[in-house]
Amino acid sequence: MNVIEKPMTEYLFSLYGTPMRYTTASPLLAAPVNELLRHFRRDSLEESGSLTLCFRAVQERADIPLTISSSARQLSAGTGAAVGDRPETGLPHEVIQDGRRLIADFHDAGVLVIDSVEGRADGYLIKPETLHPNLIEYLFHLGLIELLRRRGLYTIHATALEKHGRGVLISGNSGRGKTTSFISLLRSGYRYLSDDHPLIRDAGTHVEVLPFPIKINVTEATIAFFPELRNAPDHVLHPGSPKRSFHAEDLYLTSVGDCCQPAMVLFPHIVDAPHSHLELLPKSRALEVLLPQALLVYDPEVARREFQVLARLVQQVDCYRLHFGRDILDLPKLITPLLEQKRG
Amino acid sequence: MADPQQATPPSIASEHAVDRTMLARSILRPSPDVQGTSMEGETVLLDLSTGRYYTLNRLGSVIWEHCTGHSTISDIHAVLCDRFEVASERALDDLVALVNQLVQEGLLQQEGR
């Protein structure tokens, strides 16, 4: 075994009452995680029962100390992202259930071994200096959300905002106007919850959405719609390919929103029309559209609970198909009055 | 029934098919792997063993609601005739077709009384 043995550094985080320890010896594996979880960093942890994630750098695949039993079964395989749809994470992968371990094998990039019962995920990344930081962040996030699901915190592939205590989720695959509609609301004074994966949990009387603030990734096409993005200097809108990124607070007079009750879920798609309009979706149809943006059935009992939370979420909100026209900057005029009605 | 992950309905294997001579003795119950939720008269089902999900329309939802391990297919047929403006034979055909499909998909289990 040739795992590079260097002193491990421990980073502490707390996510809504769930403490988490991340250990790695590699600065290359530390930086993307600390960026992803910068709002959740702690100097010490008071809560017990922390989750543990540990990422190690290896030089080649043979260095990964992985054993798979003969009773293991493949749950899924593919070339797309296992969660989300960022192009830089569209790697070939397979997911294997081996006893209580979930093994996400990303072949030449590395392997993630998740033991949800133990509350532990181990990542082995092959030559991390050759990997895109977004891929490292993605693999870490994959392990984290699988562990959080068992603690009743679920993620959903959506952007999320808050205004006056009411949440708006915008869900859907890339290229359908999700980030563009999100920025249109953000710049009008909505508060920021998450660009790609807010958390949701059952709060007893209702389902709530929790901020998971991360940098906002934008394509050149999205940038072109907004003058402040077009004119932003490189130290605000960081260069990158295929997407550039910025922090919401660096560009807008906004702050991170509070945990709140979602009131509206939008499913945008771009239409060649001068004006945007909304089409109310039947709730069963909305749940059907939302399920693939959230639910991957790995642990049936966890999936059962997550399904119930998603169903409750859909029951408590209004769900709309957003036919997103060319009046991009005017979207708040369409959305805000409906949100205000929900307050009443 | 709509299945977003499977556009082509499966063929119905004969060993799963409802025996029309046994309608008064066939009890239906959901598979333990199925989680369902009712929304505005429709039902969304998730098969936890496969990750597939399904939507049942209003008629399908009434049928599903009565597949609790207590009602026979004849009982459910009587409910449909009572609740919907539909000819008895048509209701039975629709019922048997849906039950066959749900059994075939592993969502429903059929047992004798």
Side-chain angles (χ1 to χ4, degrees):
Chain A
M1 193 170 79
N2 190 27
V3 174
I4 299 169
E5 294 294 350
K6 288 181 183 172
M8 300 290 271
T9 303
E10 186 175 64
Y11 304 91
L12 305 177
F13 304 91
S14 179
L15 291 95
Y16 304 106
T18 298
M20 194 272 287
R21 298 170 189 275
Y22 175 55
T23 56
T24 185
S26 165
L28 285 171
L29 297 178
V33 171
N34 283 319
E35 166 63 29
L36 178 74
L37 296 180
R38 67 196 188 109
H39 284 272
F40 302 102
R41 189 82 183 265
R42 298 289 184 272
D43 293 328
S44 63
L45 294 178
E46 292 176 3
E47 308 100 325
S48 59
S50 70
L51 303 175
T52 301
L53 286 96
C54 179
F55 271 24
R56 290 184 169 85
V58 297
Q59 283 307 299
E60 52 191 83
R61 190 173 166 91
D63 295 335
I64 299 174
L66 179 66
T67 53
I68 299 177
S69 72
S70 57
S71 61
R73 64 191 180 98
Q74 189 189 66
L75 297 180
S76 68
T79 54
V83 170
D85 61 356
R86 287 178 290 171
E88 64 273 21
T89 58
L91 289 177
H93 70 275
E94 63 179 323
V95 180
I96 298 161
Q97 184 84 53
D98 186 10
R100 68 187 199 190
R101 294 187 310 161
L102 193 68
I103 300 167
D105 189 340
F106 289 84
H107 308 298
D108 293 339
V111 175
L112 191 58
V113 181
I114 303 165
D115 185 333
S116 298
V117 177
E118 190 74 21
R120 181 180 179 94
D122 289 278
Y124 301 92
L125 280 75
I126 303 166
K127 292 190 175 72
E129 64 277 11
T130 65
L131 302 177
H132 195 296
N134 285 359
L135 175 61
I136 297 167
E137 176 198 298
Y138 166 75
L139 294 175
F140 176 86
H141 184 247
L142 189 61
L144 177 66
I145 60 172
E146 197 55 34
L147 296 178
L148 289 176
R149 291 168 96 192
R150 193 167 274 270
R151 303 285 180 100
L153 284 168
Y154 309 100
T155 194
I156 192 165
H157 185 219
T159 57
L161 306 109
E162 178 249 301
K163 190 176 180 68
H164 299 143
R166 294 290 186 180
V168 179
L169 296 169
I170 308 173
S171 186
N173 294 332
S174 269
R176 300 178 72 88
K178 188 175 51 168
T179 300
T180 305
S181 50
F182 162 76
I183 292 175
S184 182
L185 296 177
L186 187 66
R187 69 199 298 276
S188 79
Y190 283 60
R191 296 204 293 172
Y192 177 55
L193 296 179
S194 189
D195 174 34
D196 212 22
H197 23 244
L199 296 167
I200 57 171
R201 73 174 167 197
D202 187 343
T205 56
H206 62 275
V207 173
E208 63 182 0
V209 59
L210 310 168
F212 196 101
I214 57 173
K215 63 187 178 189
I216 299 168
N217 292 303
V218 282
T219 62
E220 294 297 336
T222 297
I223 292 167
F225 291 125
F226 302 102
E228 67 278 13
L229 280 172
R230 287 199 301 270
N231 299 323
D234 278 357
H235 71 270
V236 171
L237 184 58
H238 305 289
S241 178
K243 291 186 176 181
R244 301 176 71 183
S245 63
F246 67 98
H247 289 111
E249 63 272 25
D250 289 345
L251 202 56
Y252 298 113
L253 291 172
T254 184
S255 56
V256 174
D258 295 323
C259 300
C260 63
Q261 194 166 334
M264 188 184 289
V265 179
L266 303 175
F267 300 96
H269 77 126
I270 294 165
V271 295
D272 185 17
H275 300 294
S276 304
H277 72 277
L278 295 169
E279 173 193 354
L280 190 63
L281 279 181
K283 292 197 184 286
S284 58
R285 179 74 188 124
L287 181 58
E288 206 177 85
V289 182
L290 203 57
L291 281 174
Q293 303 297 339
L295 196 64
L296 286 171
V297 178
Y298 291 142
D299 179 324
E301 282 315 305
V302 174
R304 192 186 297 275
R305 293 197 292 271
E306 184 170 359
F307 177 79
Q308 289 167 343
V309 170
L310 287 169
R312 288 192 65 200
L313 169 70
V314 169
Q315 292 282 20
Q316 80 184 41
V317 301
D318 290 332
C319 298
Y320 295 94
R321 177 83 63 203
L322 167 61
H323 303 277
F324 200 15
R326 293 193 290 274
D327 54 345
I328 287 164
L329 303 186
D330 290 336
L331 186 64
K333 293 179 189 167
L334 187 64
I335 302 300
T336 306
L338 288 172
L339 206 58
E340 294 296 324
Q341 278 176 22
K342 289 287 283 184
R343 288 181 75 198
Chain B
M1 187 169 73
D3 176 5
Q5 297 183 12
Q6 185 172 351
T8 310
S11 59
I12 305 299
S14 58
E15 66 266 28
H16 295 298
V18 168
D19 180 347
R20 285 189 179 239
T21 66
M22 301 287 284
L23 298 179
R25 300 183 65 179
S26 290
I27 302 282
L28 299 168
R29 69 172 76 244
S31 156
D33 287 332
V34 174
Q35 183 72 35
T37 186
S38 174
M39 300 189 140
E40 296 172 340
E42 297 196 328
T43 302
V44 180
L45 303 176
L46 172 69
D47 184 345
L48 296 162
S49 66
T50 63
R52 285 186 178 148
Y53 44 90
Y54 306 78
T55 302
L56 302 178
N57 63 16
R58 286 176 187 275
L59 177 72
S61 296
V62 171
I63 294 170
W64 181 262
E65 184 186 307
H66 286 83
C67 294
T68 56
H70 302 292
S71 303
T72 65
I73 296 180
S74 292
D75 295 335
I76 300 172
H77 179 221
V79 169
L80 297 183
C81 292
D82 185 48
R83 197 170 304 181
F84 295 93
E85 291 281 334
V86 62
S88 172
E89 283 195 5
R90 172 71 193 275
L92 185 59
D93 287 346
D94 286 353
L95 170 60
V96 168
L98 182 65
V99 168
N100 277 334
Q101 198 174 352
L102 294 174
V103 170
Q104 173 71 14
E105 289 285 314
L107 303 171
L108 266 186
Q109 295 175 340
Q110 188 181 188
E111 56 195 65
R113 174 176 272 177

